[in-house]
Amino acid sequence: GGKGGGKGGGKGGGKGGGAPAAGLVVGNLGSRILEALLTLPYAESRAALHSVCSLPPSPLLEAARHPLASRVLEAALRTPGEGAAQAREPLQETLRSNAAKLVRSRAGCFVLGAAFDASPTAAQESLLAALAASEAELRGTTHGNALLRRLRFDHYKSHPGSWASMQERAQRKRDSFAELFAAEPAARPARGSKQRRGKDGGEGKAGREGKAGGGGSAGSGARCPPDGPKGAPKRPDPADSGS
């Protein structure tokens, strides 16, 4: 405890300008466990989500710039289930109002991207308006340019009305799919199907082939890659400093 506190406190205190004891201490295993916990539905991860989203601004912003802790915030911004969006409103507001402080960090840019994806259109516009003041700085870095492309910043800047309409259509489509899959009961194999379990209790041939091939519909519980949709910038490895 003393060794970790001294090391983390000294580094965090020097970077944040505060007392060393107030520095952020991040453990590899603990952050991985919390990140995994936050991928569970809100009903199961409620306590963890509220704990993360209620962090004061100073440690929260330090976490957003940390290569490991930032992944926990990204997971919190993607926690599924009714009630999750309301629970992370304080987190969203802190990130939007401090966007200019996060754009200098590669990890911070990924957190901003996750915050954008988890926001309604009006809040997305507020975030882009906040980023507009740091446009030159963003375009001067690889991670900043990647963030601008991901958020379609040029489209927003040139045609804000068209951008808003496109975002609203995309949001309605996501909401429709979410409702569809939430209402869809678990699929049962048809009578006589070869997917039934074998005599020894193992899975049938079709079931084994499905797992081996990695296939499955969105309703089967398969998740998108944690770094976002195809074409989104690749998330750096936590081993990188990500300053």
Side-chain angles (χ1 to χ4, degrees):
K3 182 178 180 182
K7 183 177 180 182
K11 182 178 180 182
K15 187 175 181 180
L24 184 71
V25 180
V26 179
N28 190 354
L29 180 60
S31 64
R32 294 291 191 184
I33 292 173
L34 185 54
E35 182 184 351
L37 179 61
L38 289 167
T39 64
L40 297 174
Y42 176 67
E44 284 77 33
S45 59
R46 177 175 181 174
L49 183 62
H50 280 273
S51 177
V52 170
C53 294
S54 62
L55 282 171
S58 181
L60 193 152
L61 295 175
E62 191 173 354
R65 294 188 289 259
H66 191 282
L68 277 174
S70 61
R71 290 174 175 265
V72 174
L73 296 183
E74 288 183 62
L77 289 162
R78 297 187 180 110
T79 298
E82 186 177 355
Q86 182 176 358
R88 56 178 164 249
E89 283 179 0
L91 170 61
Q92 293 271 46
E93 177 57 33
T94 300
L95 294 174
R96 281 195 299 269
S97 59
N98 292 276
K101 298 178 181 179
L102 298 178
V103 297
R104 302 181 181 94
S105 162
R106 180 168 56 174
C109 280
F110 278 96
V111 172
L112 288 174
F116 179 89
D117 293 341
S119 301
T121 303
Q124 289 178 339
E125 290 189 74
S126 297
L127 178 56
L128 288 178
L131 291 177
S134 305
E135 180 182 356
E137 186 173 2
L138 282 163
R139 294 196 185 280
T141 62
T142 302
H143 56 266
N145 268 311
L147 178 64
L148 293 178
R149 288 195 302 270
R150 177 178 178 180
L151 308 189
R152 299 182 177 90
F153 180 82
D154 289 340
H155 186 184
Y156 162 79
K157 186 177 178 181
S158 302
H159 306 284
S162 170
W163 175 90
S165 297
M166 182 183 67
Q167 293 299 113
E168 288 171 358
R169 287 195 301 271
Q171 184 61 54
R172 286 195 296 269
K173 186 180 294 185
R174 286 193 295 270
D175 292 344
S176 297
F177 274 107
E179 292 174 4
L180 175 65
F181 292 131
E184 182 179 336
R188 297 181 179 179
R191 181 174 295 180
S193 169
K194 292 184 179 181
Q195 282 189 316
R196 63 179 59 181
R197 302 180 71 85
K199 292 182 179 180
D200 58 353
E203 295 180 351
K205 180 179 178 182
R208 289 194 301 272
E209 289 177 350
K211 281 194 174 182
S217 66
S220 64
R223 290 190 177 92
C224 293
D227 294 335
K230 184 176 180 181
K234 185 178 180 182
R235 187 66 163 88
D237 190 271
D240 298 335
S241 61
S243 59

